[in-house]
Each structure stands twice: as C-alpha cells, then as structure tokens.
Amino acid sequence: MGDRLPPEVLADLVDLLAGCRAFEGVPREQLRRAARGIEVGYLAAAEDAPGPMVVMRGALRVLDLAGTVVDVVDEGEYAAPGPSARVEPVTSALVAWLDEGAGALAWSGARDPAWRPPAQGTGTRLHATPVRAVMSSPVLMVGPSVTCREAAGLMRERRVSSVLVLGRDGPGVLTDRDLRSRLVAEGRPADTVVAEVASYPALVVPADVTCAEAQLEMLAAGVHHLPVVEGDRVVGMVTSTDLLALEARSPLAVRSAVDRAGSVEEVAAAVAELPGSVARMLGDGADPHEVGRVVATVTDRVQRTLLGLAFAELGRPEGEFAWVCFGSQARREQTLLTDQDTGLVLPTGADDEAWAAVAARVTEMLEQVGYPRCRGGVMASESLWRHDLAGWHARLDGLVRQPTEHHLLESAIVFDARVVTGSVTVADLLGPSLVETVRDATFRGRLARVATMHRPPLGFLGRLTVEHHGEHRGQLDLKKGALLPVADLARLTAVARGGPEVGTDERLEAAAETGAMSRDLSGTLRAGYALSLGLRLQRHVELFEAGETLSNHVDPGALDPWVRAELKEYFKAVRVAQEHVASTYLVGMLG
C-alpha cells in the first residue's frame, strides 16, 4: 500500500507514528519505511486482533479469551494484542494496522520509566556511599562476662562510643548511653557484667548497603549504632554520627531532636526541619518510597514523644494499650502534606475517661506541632476510634456485616493500620476481621466498588484531565487522581486473600506473586505509583521552599514531557485494573 500512498498521506502516517510514545526516539527515516506498510481501516464491531496497531481516532478495548478487558487503547496509542485476543471499539475507531517490521520498532527507543530526581541535585552522599566506606574497623569486642567498668575503660581508651558483646544467639551492643541509662541511672554496681546491660540481639547491616539504607534502619529501630557484617562476620561499626557527617540535615538529626524534646515547642522545632531533609533526600536521588518511610517514621517518633509528654502531664492510666495509625502513615507512604489518622486500643475494662483525656491532649499537641486534625474525625480523641480489643473486634465485625457506604469508607481506613507503640499487634486487631472478609463475597464486592470510585484523571482521548473551576483550575490532584486509586486497588487484593501487607508497593508485589494480578500490570502500577509519590513529595518541597501553602495539585503543562507520557501510561493501566475489578466483582450489579 505504501508505494501507492500520496505523499501527504504518507507524511500524515509518519507524523502519527512520531507522535506515538511507543515510537519515541526512532529515527524519522525508519518511521517513513514503517509507514509504507500501514493498512488503515475502521473498526465498528468486535473482531480478532490481526496484529500491532495505532489508534488514529476513537478508542478500543482489548479482550482476552474469557472476555476480560486487558487493555484500553486511546487515540494516538499503540497496542500489540496477542494472537488469541479480540478488539472491540468503545466507539467506532479508525485504526492504523502495522506490519511485522513496523511492530518491531515499537519501544525500541523507549526511555527508562523509573523515578528520576530533579536535575538540580543537592549533592549529598548518603545514597552513593556504602556503609563500609564510613564504618569504624576493627570493632572493639568483649565477652559477656566482662564488667561494665572494664568495658567503659576500653571504650575510653579506644575513644569509641560502643563495644560489641559476644554471646547468646548473636552479638549484642553496649553503648555509652546504655551505661548511663541502664547502669548509672539505675544505681547498679560498676562490676555488673556487660551481658546484663547490653542490647540483644544487635541489629546489623551488610557492608555493601548504602548509608541511606543504614540511616533508615536506625530511624525505624531507634538506635544509633549498627554492627556491619560480611556474611556472618562482623567487620565494622557505623554510628549515627558517621552518617550525620555525610548529611548535615539528615532525618536522623530530626528524629534525634524529636526524641530529646521535652516540650511541644521543641517537638515543633524538630519537625520544622523535616522538609529540608526531604528536599535533600529527593535531590540526592532517594527512591520516593524510601522518603515516604522516613517521613512516616519521624511521625511515629513524634507521636511516641507526645504520648510521653501527655502521660507526664496527666498521668499514665493503668493497663496495656496500643496507639495505632492509619492511612499513608500506616502504609509508610507519608508526605509533608498530611493530617492525623490515629486510633487507640484500650486495656480491657479501662477507664475511658482517663484515656480520652490523654488522646485529646495528644491530638491537641499534634495539631500544635503541625499535623492538622482529620476532617473525617479519624482520631483517637474521638470515641469511634477508641476501644478495647473486644470493642474493636465488634466494630470491625459491624463494618464487614453491614457494609453501608460510610462503613466501606471506614473499612478502607481501618485495613490500612499499623501499631506505633504498645503491646497489641495489628494481627490482634484485624485478624478476625480479615478472616471474615475472605469468606464474605458480598463485602469483597462492595470493597471492590470502593476500589473503582477514584478514577484516574485521563480523558476519553487519552489526555490528562484537570480541574476546570476553583483555585486549582488547570491542575490535577496527585493524591486523589494518581495515588488513591492504586492504594484502593492494592488494599482490595490484600484484604481479599487475608494478606498481612500494608504498604501499597508490597501489596502490589504480593498480588503478582499470588496471581491476583499479572506481573506486567503490577509492575506498571508500582512504577507509576512511585513516580506519582515522588512528584507529590517534590511538589510539597517546592511550595515549602517558596513559602507557599502546601498542595497536592500540579499543572501538567509544567511537567517534563516524559513525565506526562509516563503518567498517561500509568493512568491507563489504573483504568484497566479498575475495569478488571469491576468485571470480576460485578460491581455494576451491586445494590
């Protein structure tokens, strides 16, 4: 056909391929040769897919043998359905069918879709430096029967702040802080053996991990010393001081300041340094999930510190309790624009009035520190989010057995839960309800409806859609449009099988491992979610540094072309996943 095409038609077909993301980076001369093999035709009804194609006008769906929608192809997009697939038009579609040679060019010049940090990196070295480059070696080691007096003398002589203690099932660590808090402060004799004062077992890190990974381990565990290992052999020790030397505004410094804080004002001053740390992490190339974990970890420490301050003011009520977080903090995907999502597991038969006073005080202090109250009332200060374990089980049972629209939204919150501090585990809290959800097909179906409520901001013709009114006119909401839909889908896959995962990335990975989602779709959603999380974090940093109010909205026109292209592919994958969920759970038939 190509040799008989008028020059202007051939030029249009070359432009079609050049404007299609699948052919990005392919030289125009190769596109010209590929265009000569194109057959153009209308698709008015479902038919077997004859091969690769580019949609010129309209849109079509790709179906597998079971009739399940596996792809949606919009105007200007490329698809290569398998030999057993069928295609059907959403509306009458004009399609450019490609020959084998043209199909082979697709994606041959594609760029890596991974998260890319801003070009103006801040040059920190946490993400480029392995732990072995900053660790102290050799490590001072002592046996478990050495006295604290002897260990302290060795530490002073070697000018180190810790010593590795051998014995038990693995090494322990004795630090100068341990000597102060567990020996001197408790009035124990200096001849106490180190085995009674050291921390067992020691958290260790491999020598080849980056300093950023070691920092995250310290943040999560609340420690300042990590033995470094190669295989089973301890080869060094890395401390928070070593890492602070690399990063002047490290999250470790923020966490340490929070831990040391003796007042709400001091906690607020420490938290005020967090945006600077986030900016430096992003500029240094940190993975967005890593940054989200750091922000959530700092929030955990803030809540623990404020609980301690509330207990000091009001007294600690009797009994074992648990302070619980929900939402992005629980998933460890938190950003700088966040509010309070908390709950409290009370001791059995507890004095609710005393615990209510504590929860109200912590809520008030969190607001003073910079965490606004939840507009939906998801806070431990509200009686609906404060129960003993039996009360929580009864409430969760009601959410499952009486799935009203409001209950379903609450379920979406509750099933993203994590214990910040306390003696109760998430398994204790959610275990019975997760078992019930696996059995209850009706509840799963209604939860599937929640997972299809937030539609990605992608228009019929494959363009990014924006708000048309109000203060965010011309912008799209990264949280509501890019993150919530996938968090909802990932939650559904975990709840439907009773999985223990909480983080979105872990849930999507588990969905691929268990066959609940194809590996290709899971991979696309994971990459797109990381990209969107990174864009949201970067947007917050930009607004913070400009002294403006933080927002989740961004102007698509201000994004790099590759970012817009990646978002379109991601949103299309979200739409495919939502259509699959709607079909699998018969969402349209639910009352």
Side-chain angles (χ1 to χ4, degrees), residues 27-221:
R28 193 170 181 85
E29 186 53 42
Q30 285 185 271
L31 295 180
R32 181 179 297 277
R33 291 195 293 270
R36 292 193 176 99
I38 287 178
E39 296 283 346
V40 177
Y42 277 99
L43 185 70
E47 62 179 58
D48 293 337
M53 69 192 77
V54 175
V55 175
M56 300 178 70
R57 286 202 297 272
L60 54 85
R61 300 186 184 93
V62 181
L63 314 175
D64 63 14
L65 281 173
T68 301
V69 177
V70 295
D71 200 0
V72 178
V73 190
D74 285 314
E75 185 174 308
E77 294 182 341
Y78 168 86
S84 60
R86 289 176 61 77
V87 292
E88 67 176 20
V90 177
T91 59
S92 182
L94 182 64
V95 180
W97 307 103
L98 312 182
D99 62 16
E100 185 176 339
L105 290 176
W107 306 111
S108 61
R111 300 169 65 181
D112 177 14
W115 158 253
R116 296 180 182 86
Q120 65 276 16
T122 54
T124 57
R125 294 179 289 154
L126 283 172
H127 301 274
T129 305
V131 166
R132 65 161 50 89
V134 300
M135 70 183 186
S136 300
S137 183
V139 180
L140 177 61
M141 302 185 187
V142 299
S145 60
V146 168
T147 67
C148 289
R149 184 196 308 275
E150 293 170 321
L154 289 171
M155 290 163 64
R156 181 179 60 184
E157 180 181 329
R158 298 281 189 90
R159 296 184 178 181
V160 295
S161 59
S162 65
V163 59
L164 198 70
V165 182
L166 304 178
R168 297 193 183 184
D169 296 331
V173 172
L174 176 73
T175 68
D176 51 5
R177 178 175 296 186
D178 294 330
L179 293 174
R180 293 194 304 271
S181 61
R182 298 180 184 174
L183 187 79
V184 177
E186 294 183 6
R188 303 171 77 173
D191 289 334
T192 301
V193 296
V194 292
E196 296 182 18
V197 181
S199 299
Y200 283 98
L203 180 66
V204 301
V205 293
D208 57 352
V209 306
T210 65
C211 289
E213 293 174 277
Q215 174 181 260
L216 192 57
E217 292 290 342
M218 288 185 184
L219 274 169

Side-chain angles (χ1 to χ4, degrees), residues 299-358:
T299 303
D300 289 354
R301 308 298 292 195
V302 168
Q303 291 175 356
R304 291 177 193 171
T305 296
L306 295 181
L307 264 171
L309 293 176
F311 288 153
E313 286 183 20
L314 305 173
R316 187 195 184 288
E318 294 184 0
E320 297 297 328
F321 76 100
W323 184 269
V324 182
C325 66
F326 302 104
S328 61
Q329 181 187 350
R331 298 193 304 269
R332 291 189 169 93
E333 299 161 2
Q334 200 167 25
T335 64
L336 297 176
L337 180 56
T338 187
D339 59 6
Q340 301 182 41
D341 287 312
T342 62
L344 190 58
V345 181
L346 304 175
T348 301
D351 177 3
D352 182 64
E353 184 177 346
W355 283 104
V358 170

Side-chain angles (χ1 to χ4, degrees), residues 115 118 120 282 533-543:
W115 158 253
Q120 65 276 16
L282 290 173
L533 182 60
L535 291 173
R536 186 183 179 204
L537 285 162
Q538 188 63 43
R539 178 62 172 160
H540 292 172
V541 166
E542 291 171 354
L543 292 171

Side-chain angles (χ1 to χ4, degrees), residues 461-515:
L461 297 179
R463 297 185 179 91
L464 297 176
T465 58
V466 297
E467 297 186 15
H468 298 290
H469 307 284
E471 62 174 315
H472 300 299
R473 185 172 180 267
Q475 298 180 321
L476 64 84
D477 188 333
L478 289 169
K479 177 182 178 180
K480 184 178 179 181
L483 296 172
L484 277 183
V486 176
D488 289 342
L489 289 165
R491 182 187 308 110
L492 173 65
T493 65
V495 172
R497 63 181 178 81
E501 304 84 13
V502 178
T504 301
D505 191 67
E506 292 81 6
R507 284 170 166 172
L508 292 173
E509 184 177 15
E513 290 291 334
T514 58

Side-chain angles (χ1 to χ4, degrees), residues 374-461:
C374 174
R375 287 182 292 179
V378 184
M379 296 174 291
S381 55
E382 302 294 321
S383 59
L384 196 61
W385 299 93
R386 189 178 65 250
H387 308 277
D388 62 15
L389 203 54
W392 274 107
H393 290 167
R395 173 146 193 259
L396 296 175
D397 184 67
L399 295 180
V400 174
R401 295 183 183 277
Q402 301 173 18
T404 65
E405 204 68 35
H406 184 67
H407 281 184
L408 286 169
L409 295 176
E410 288 187 352
S411 297
I413 296 169
V414 169
F415 286 119
D416 290 357
R418 184 167 54 80
V419 173
V420 174
T421 185
S423 58
V424 177
T425 67
V426 170
D428 296 330
L429 184 65
L430 299 182
S433 297
L434 284 175
V435 171
E436 189 63 30
T437 59
V438 173
R439 296 174 181 163
D440 194 324
T442 301
F443 177 80
R444 295 199 309 274
R446 295 184 185 279
L447 198 61
R449 184 165 64 188
V450 173
T452 59
M453 284 174 53
H454 297 107
R455 307 296 287 182
L458 194 65
F460 176 72
L461 297 179

